[in-house]
């Protein structure tokens, strides 16, 4: 029976046939098991020679099945490979690729520029309380600037009775950083800000980048140099025209507003290269100044020991100017055609 089984195995052309032979031979009801059962009726001497002989038969059959299985499987794989031909000359299907949004792109560029100037990146929550957003920044409850900020308030108050709001600027990060880290401080804080305002140059959600440097002996010259250096690096040109105007913010004293000159060339906004102010428009870019000593004190530092400068700059404005875009609202429409028009998709 062994010889016959081995012959049949050799002839088996597929895995199903092989399995049928295996069951017939080695299965519970198979002939080998039937033979095994006869061992019980034998004398001990007979069993001693018959037992090993039957085990040997089982092993030979099992080995032969394994061998044949390997051969059949290899043949099956060969056959499969032969039919599945890959044509490597066919063009690959085009998958559309995304790209970085101009706002994210600008944030990355700014983080890199300011890293070279020794500024770390700080963050704060977009849902703020009125102490960080206003009070600590020298805007008392009755301060008119609070009303001017077109604030989105939440109906609920926090556990301490503070009114909660969507931060109207990134300046609360100044407070959080000074309170949390003390001095000296050199940080930028890019992020989302909110005001209920909407036209071609204002959206209810927009982006700012805050800058803060606190140390001993910081003066206005440091602020001016830092702003000029950053704007030249950002716009990648040396002929940037800046206009510094005396201004007022409750949290800086003195305060300086900075505009950048641009012209419309071929319907695109282009910064720099205009010589004097003739024939070009100004875009308000940022507010800045020397940090008000009252703010330094509110954040728990000694204003007699530490001074500093701060600035808050519209990131979306920077992006519009750098990439020649005209309508701020398009930034947040999510229209892929607009992005690709300005070269923001491959
Ligand atoms: N927080 C001000 C704004 O949103 C900008 C600013 C920041 C001005 C820091 C001075 C200093 O308009």
């Amino acid at each position: 029976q062994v010889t016959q089984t081995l012959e049949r195995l050799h002839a088996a052309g597929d895995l199903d046939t092989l399995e049928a032979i295996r069951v017939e031979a080695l299965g519970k009801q198979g002939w080998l098991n039937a033979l095994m059962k006869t061992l019980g009726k034998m004398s001990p001497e007979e069993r001693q020679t018959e037992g090993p002989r039957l085990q040997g038969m089982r092993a030979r059959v099992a080995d032969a099945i394994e061998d044949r299985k390997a051969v059949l499987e290899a043949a099956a794989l060969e056959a499969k490979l032969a039919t599945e031909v890959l044509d490597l000359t066919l063009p690959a299907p085009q998958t559309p690729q995304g790209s970085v949004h101009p706002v994210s792109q600008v944030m990355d560029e700014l983080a890199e520029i300011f890293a070279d100037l020794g500024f770390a990146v700080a963050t704060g929550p977009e849902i703020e309380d009125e102490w960080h957003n206003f009070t600590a920044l020298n805007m008392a409850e009755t301060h008119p600037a609070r009303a001017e900020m077109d604030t989105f308030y939440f109906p609920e108050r926090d556990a301490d009775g503070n009114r909660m709001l969507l931060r109207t600027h990134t300046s609360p990060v100044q407070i959080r950083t000074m309170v949390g880290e003390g001095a000296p401080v050199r940080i930028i804080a890019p992020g989302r800000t909110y005001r209920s305002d909407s036209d071609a140059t204002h959206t209810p959600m927009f982006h700012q980048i805050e800058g803060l440097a606190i140390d001993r002996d910081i003066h206005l010259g440091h602020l001016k140099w830092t702003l000029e250096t950053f704007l030249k690096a950002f716009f990648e040109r040396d002929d940037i025209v800046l206009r510094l105007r005396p201004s007022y913010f409750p949290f800086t004293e003195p305060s300086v507003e900075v505009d950048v000159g641009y012209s419309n060339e071929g319907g695109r906004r282009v910064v720099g290269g205009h010589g004097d102010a003739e024939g070009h428009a100004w875009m308000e870019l940022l507010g800045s100044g020397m940090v008000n000593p009252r703010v330094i004190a509110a954040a728990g530092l000694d204003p007699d020991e530490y001074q500093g400068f701060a600035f808050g700059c519209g990131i979306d404005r920077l992006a519009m100017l750098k990439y020649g875009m005209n309508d701020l609202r398009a930034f947040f429409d999510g229209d892929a055609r607009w992005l690709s028009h300005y070269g923001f998709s491959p």
Side-chain angles (χ1 to χ4, degrees), residues 100-249:
V100 177
H101 191 276
V103 172
S104 309
Q105 169 76 33
V106 166
M107 284 192 185
D108 291 348
E109 291 171 12
L110 294 174
E112 220 169 284
I113 290 168
F114 277 102
D116 286 345
L117 300 178
F119 287 68
V121 173
T123 55
E126 288 169 34
I127 296 175
E128 262 296 4
D129 57 67
E130 59 181 345
W131 188 81
H132 286 95
N133 195 80
F134 291 130
T135 315
L137 289 163
N138 195 35
M139 295 158 93
E141 204 101 22
T142 52
H143 201 291
R146 276 208 195 192
E148 278 163 30
M149 282 249 188
D150 299 312
T151 312
F152 288 113
Y153 282 99
F154 287 88
E156 303 87 3
R157 289 171 186 254
D158 74 358
D160 301 322
N162 273 312
R163 284 224 280 174
M164 301 301 289
L165 45 83
L166 291 175
R167 67 179 178 190
T168 56
H169 49 181
T170 42
S171 299
V173 185
Q174 288 187 34
I175 306 298
R176 289 186 177 275
T177 308
M178 284 188 274
V179 169
E181 291 172 26
V185 167
R186 269 175 187 69
I187 55 114
I188 53 164
R192 293 193 187 96
T193 47
Y194 303 84
R195 291 180 206 175
S196 54
D197 209 352
S198 190
D199 58 39
T201 52
H202 297 87
T203 49
M205 188 275 291
F206 57 106
H207 298 83
Q208 282 193 340
I209 181 167
E210 195 79 7
L212 176 69
I214 300 280
D215 208 334
R216 299 181 177 91
D217 306 320
I218 301 263
H219 56 72
L220 200 64
H222 294 127
L223 170 63
K224 184 165 181 269
W225 182 87
T226 304
L227 293 179
E228 278 173 1
T229 304
F230 125 62
L231 290 169
K232 283 177 181 172
F234 177 74
F235 289 112
E236 295 168 8
R237 50 198 300 170
D238 274 329
D239 57 353
I240 298 292
V241 192
L242 294 181
R243 187 169 76 175
L244 275 61
R245 285 180 289 118
S247 185
Y248 173 78
F249 298 102

